């Protein structure tokens, strides 16, 4: 799948560095005891920047909703159509969600509500992205 | 000539109370250009700029206002396709034309400066730059007139569309995902209101029961109302009435989102003339008073908005609007929420509890009588789905219903208040109109 290649910036570099080491590391606000993804300059709840640290989390979640992209707008993904696009919530904090194409799950066969686990996929030499697969 | 760009005009907080200018500002004029599918690249009388000038002239004529009386011009100067417009929204690198079409201005972009020059408006003192879309422009105009920043203000919303595949260019043609797109585009989310709503819509169907195609009666009725709108794309291009069978057999875009859940990009412009209630009473049309305007810009918690957030946001937007207007759900006669992707209107319908519709009730409501001649004339404008992606049908219908000039769309129920919007659940604004100032 020729997925678009993420371009890390100063804020996101720690996240992508961890992904490239096959680890899922999210921002954590010590003041609120909440996880935050995507990363932001400050905690979305208490607005504290100083309270934010990076925390490795267990890559387990559930499929909350799913669609199949049949006529998308991304040139690079055209050859993949139709493909799944699922919304996955993180078990450690269900307010955190991720997109996933659910590798290994055929389009239209997504078991909404099923458990998933994180995996990593290379989209360019040296650049991984986080993906999720259904737990058998 | 430029107005204060940092003018604090928004009503975007909870608990602001009744709007201080309630009933003291009015809409006195409306003007629409023809609605074309695309600009053909040849007809200089059909450019986005020419259509914007035409819409302004029509709005001024509607009100009986002359160019020298205009002292405010608010115009959205962005492509409706955003950064992914590509060849459908940018003329370059094709060669430009003689002035005033020697740049993107007038071809794919229109702003107040360009319009003021072309229309020779000599007395404009408020012409802000970097203005937002129509959802907020109407609020900005209402507040500016109420505050006395200007007294006779044109609001112009151009929506351009050139030859080429819509949103198949720019950042969507990139192999890399930069900025906020690094969290969405690698997995296929190209951005837009379709993605904002389709996941919560799926959660909605599972939570409350129902299936995607329960939207069919609503979409079909939007097309019906569109065919009753003389200036709209469908009515002016002999688009046949959509049927339920057409709908349920249409191809998918973002399955379950169907082709007919999407609005048709068009090349068009619309203009509205805002003025003080006092001045409006001496103008050509019956004034339509502004009872409140409100805005919202809610931040999603994570990558994708979920149903809980969408319901919370629409509840809050409803509270802000009702509080500022001093009205409740039972007092809103005309309701024109945004429909630029069908699986969104139910969130607004239920959040604002129009005609008593509560959470989870929308599909049953759609299956009832929502025709304009019936008891529940929901979205009497036909919205974007029935008229093309002008994003203005909602406002025009509100105004015409209160004036009693909606023609074949004129509702049979009471029409003394009207609520309209171009807004997503997360960001945008609402405006409440009244036939009477209080």
């Amino acid at each position: 799948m020729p997925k678009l290649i993420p371009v890390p910036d100063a804020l996101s570099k720690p996240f992508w560095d961890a992904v490239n080491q096959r680890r899922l590391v999210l921002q954590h606000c010590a003041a609120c005891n909440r996880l935050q993804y995507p990363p932001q300059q400050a905690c979305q709840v208490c607005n504290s920047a100083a309270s934010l640290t990076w925390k490795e989390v267990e890559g387990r979640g559930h499929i909350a909703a799913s669609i199949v992209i049949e006529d998308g707008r991304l040139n690079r993904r055209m050859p993949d159509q139709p493909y799944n696009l699922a919304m996955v919530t993180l078990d450690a904090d269900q307010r955190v969600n991720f997109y996933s194409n659910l590798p290994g799950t055929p389009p239209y066969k997504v078991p909404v509500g099923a458990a998933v686990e994180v995996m990593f996929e290379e989209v360019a030499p040296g650049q991984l992205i986080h993906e999720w697969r259904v737990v058998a | 000539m430029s107005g204060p760009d940092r003018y604090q005009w928004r009503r975007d907080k909870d608990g602001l109370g009744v709007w201080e200018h309630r009933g003291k500002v009015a809409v006195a004029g409306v003007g629409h250009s023809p609605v074309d599918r695309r600009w053909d690249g040849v007809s200089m009388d059909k450019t986005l700029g020419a259509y914007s000038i035409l819409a302004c002239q029509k709005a001024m004529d509607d009100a009986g206002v002359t160019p020298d009386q205009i002292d405010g011009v608010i115009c959205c100067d962005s492509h409706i396709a955003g950064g992914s417009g590509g060849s459908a929204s940018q003329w370059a690198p094709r060669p430009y034309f003689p002035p005033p079409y020697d740049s993107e201005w007038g071809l794919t972009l229109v702003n107040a400066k360009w319009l003021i020059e072309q229309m020779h408006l000599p007395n404009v003192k408020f012409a802000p730059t970097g203005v937002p879309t129509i959802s907020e422009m109407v609020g900005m105009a209402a507040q500016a007139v109420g505050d006395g920043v200007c007294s006779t203000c044109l609001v112009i919303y151009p929506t351009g569309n050139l030859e080429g595949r819509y949103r198949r260019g720019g950042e969507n043609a990139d192999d890399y995902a930069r900025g906020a797109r690094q969290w969405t585009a690698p997995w296929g989310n190209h951005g837009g209101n379709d993605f904002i709503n389709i996941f919560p819509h799926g959660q909605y169907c599972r939570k409350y029961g129902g299936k995607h195609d329960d939207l069919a009666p609503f979409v079909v009725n939007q097309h019906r109302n569109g065919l009753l709108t003389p200036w709209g794309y469908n009515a002016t291009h002999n688009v046949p009435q959509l049927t339920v069978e057409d709908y349920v057999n249409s191809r998918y875009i973002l399955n379950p989102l169907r082709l007919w859940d999407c609005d048709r990009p068009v090349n068009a412009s619309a203009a509205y003339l805002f003025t003080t209630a006092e001045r409006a009473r001496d103008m050509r049309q019956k004034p339509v008073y502004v009872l409140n305007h409100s805005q919202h810009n809610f931040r999603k918690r994570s990558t994708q908005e979920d149903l809980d957030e969408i319901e919370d946001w629409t509840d809050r937007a409803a509270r802000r609007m009702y509080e500022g207007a001093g009205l409740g759900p039972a007092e809103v006669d005309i309701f024109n929420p945004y429909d630029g992707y069908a699986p969104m209107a139910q969130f607004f319908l239920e959040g604002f509890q129009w005609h008593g519709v509560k959470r989870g009730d929308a599909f049953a409501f759609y299956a009832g009588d929502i025709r304009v001649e019936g008891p529940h004339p929901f979205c009497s404008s036909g919205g974007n789905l029935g008229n093309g992606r002008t994003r203005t049908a909602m406002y025009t219908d509100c105004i015409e219903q209160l004036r009693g000039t909606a023609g074949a769309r004129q509702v049979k129920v009471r029409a003394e208040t009207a609520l309209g919007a171009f807004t997503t659940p997360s960001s945008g604004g609402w405006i409440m109109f009244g036939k009477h100032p209080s």
Side-chain angles (χ1 to χ4, degrees):
Chain A
M1 280 189 155
K3 293 181 177 175
L4 275 74
I5 304 158
V7 179
D9 50 37
L11 179 62
S12 66
K13 188 173 185 304
F15 175 86
W16 290 114
D17 284 349
V19 164
N20 286 335
Q21 298 165 8
R22 300 181 181 273
R23 296 187 301 128
L24 189 61
V25 171
L26 306 185
Q27 283 182 323
H28 177 257
C29 177
C32 301
N33 193 26
R34 289 172 64 116
L35 294 169
Q36 182 163 281
Y37 170 89
Q40 299 178 44
Q41 296 289 354
C43 171
Q44 188 167 336
V45 176
C46 71
N47 205 34
S48 167
S51 300
L52 286 178
T53 58
W54 292 97
K55 179 179 182 180
E56 185 163 358
V57 299
E58 188 177 15
R60 294 198 170 274
H62 282 79
I63 303 170
S66 182
I67 63 172
V68 178
I69 296 185
E70 297 192 12
D71 186 8
R73 297 289 172 269
L74 298 171
N75 290 6
R76 190 172 169 89
R77 297 302 307 268
M78 297 293 173
D80 300 335
Q81 294 178 166
Y83 59 93
N84 296 321
L85 178 61
M87 170 183 157
V88 168
T89 57
L90 186 71
D91 286 354
D93 186 340
Q94 292 184 17
R95 292 168 295 202
V96 172
N97 60 49
F98 304 85
Y99 287 125
S100 174
N101 295 141
L102 299 175
T105 301
Y108 314 107
K109 302 291 185 186
V110 172
V112 173
V116 291
E117 63 184 6
V118 75
M119 57 178 284
F120 298 93
E121 188 176 295
E122 188 172 64
V123 293
Q127 181 61 61
L128 306 186
I129 65 167
H130 45 306
E131 262 295 5
W132 301 81
R133 65 183 160 216
V134 174
V135 177
Chain B
M1 196 160 60
S2 285
D5 290 350
R6 304 187 73 81
Y7 172 42
Q8 300 296 313
W9 57 271
R10 284 185 171 84
R11 290 176 51 79
D12 58 356
K13 296 178 177 59
D14 298 332
L16 290 179
V18 174
W19 185 39
E20 68 271 24
H21 303 306
R22 183 183 192 274
K24 297 174 186 170
V25 177
V27 176
V30 178
H32 281 274
S33 76
V35 181
D36 297 336
R37 183 75 171 91
R38 295 181 170 90
W39 182 50
D40 59 12
V42 176
S43 306
M44 305 314 289
D45 60 339
K46 296 181 177 181
T47 63
L48 196 59
Y51 273 3
S52 295
I53 292 170
L54 179 61
C56 288
Q57 289 171 336
K58 285 186 173 183
M60 291 162 62
D61 289 347
D62 191 41
V65 163
T66 53
D68 60 297
Q69 292 176 284
I70 301 296
D71 64 356
V73 176
I74 300 175
C75 182
C76 179
D77 58 359
S78 63
H79 298 289
I80 61 166
S84 60
S87 62
S89 67
Q90 182 166 315
W91 184 252
R94 292 166 280 200
Y96 291 120
F97 303 89
Y101 298 111
D102 52 351
S103 72
E104 293 294 324
W105 297 109
L107 294 176
T108 61
L109 295 167
V110 182
N111 66 0
K113 179 174 182 291
W114 190 89
L115 276 174
I116 291 164
E117 289 172 1
Q118 306 312 314
M119 296 183 66
H120 308 293
L121 304 175
N123 295 317
V124 175
K125 61 183 182 183
F126 181 62
T129 57
V131 298
T133 61
I134 184 74
S135 69
E136 296 191 287
M137 291 159 70
V138 290
M140 183 189 229
Q143 191 69 37
V145 169
D147 288 347
V149 174
C150 58
S151 63
T152 308
C153 182
L154 279 171
V155 171
I156 305 100
Y157 192 60
T159 53
N161 192 33
L162 306 177
E163 292 295 331
R165 290 302 304 272
Y166 192 75
R167 287 184 174 158
R168 286 277 179 90
E171 56 198 6
N172 280 347
D174 199 345
D175 288 341
Y176 293 88
R178 307 167 202 277
R181 289 166 63 88
Q182 67 188 288
W183 312 110
T184 57
W187 297 271
N189 180 339
H190 56 248
N193 205 16
D194 38 0
F195 281 98
I196 290 175
N197 293 285
I198 193 62
F199 289 98
H201 171 69
Q203 294 179 297
Y204 177 98
C205 290
R206 277 190 300 283
K207 180 176 181 179
Y208 298 116
K211 58 189 185 303
H212 177 80
D213 286 350
D214 289 337
L215 294 175
F218 166 59
V219 176
V220 168
N221 196 61
Q222 289 294 82
H223 281 248
R224 182 175 187 267
N225 291 345
L227 289 172
L228 301 176
T229 305
W231 57 264
Y233 180 86
N234 289 20
T236 55
H237 290 78
N238 299 315
V239 175
Q241 170 64 53
L242 187 75
T243 66
V244 170
E245 187 177 20
D246 294 334
Y247 178 84
V248 299
N249 289 308
S250 62
R251 68 183 179 89
Y252 291 110
I253 306 298
L254 307 176
N255 191 328
L257 186 86
R258 294 183 178 279
L259 176 70
W260 294 115
D261 293 317
C262 307
D263 49 349
R264 182 185 273 117
V266 293
N267 197 68
S269 193
Y272 302 91
L273 192 131
F274 284 68
T275 189
T276 64
E278 193 175 320
R279 287 177 183 235
R281 290 185 192 107
D282 296 327
M283 292 183 182
R284 193 169 282 160
Q285 302 288 340
K286 280 189 268 186
V288 169
Y289 299 93
V290 181
L291 302 183
N292 187 30
H293 69 89
S294 68
Q295 296 76 36
H296 55 275
N297 188 14
F298 299 118
R299 292 173 66 190
K300 59 187 173 187
R301 291 183 297 232
S302 191
T303 316
Q304 167 66 48
E305 300 87 341
D306 66 17
L307 180 62
D308 288 345
E309 289 173 293
I310 295 267
E311 292 189 337
D312 176 54
W313 295 342
T314 47
D315 284 347
R316 288 177 64 187
R319 283 198 298 272
R320 286 181 188 180
M321 171 46 71
Y322 286 141
E323 179 183 3
L327 299 173
E331 295 162 300
V332 177
D333 301 329
I334 306 299
F335 187 49
N336 278 307
Y338 189 48
D339 65 336
Y341 299 109
M344 169 175 54
Q346 77 249 28
F347 302 132
F348 299 128
L349 171 62
E350 296 173 1
F352 283 82
Q353 299 185 34
W354 191 69
H355 281 213
V357 179
K358 300 290 197 305
R359 292 294 179 199
D361 292 344
F363 292 170
F365 179 80
Y366 290 166
D369 188 355
I370 57 174
R371 298 171 307 142
V372 286
E373 56 270 59
H376 308 294
F378 180 58
C379 285
S380 44
S381 62
N384 276 20
L385 296 177
N387 295 293
R389 184 176 285 177
T390 66
R391 294 173 174 161
T392 52
M394 299 75 72
Y395 302 100
T396 299
D397 182 71
C398 286
I399 294 161
E400 290 182 342
Q401 294 288 354
L402 300 192
R403 284 179 175 177
T405 60
R409 285 187 344 280
Q410 188 67 47
V411 300
K412 308 301 182 194
V413 298
R414 185 184 63 184
E416 296 190 353
T417 59
L419 179 55
F422 154 58
T423 183
T424 68
S426 54
S427 63
W430 292 83
I431 188 165
M432 183 83 80
F433 299 104
K435 184 175 183 178
H436 309 291
S438 59

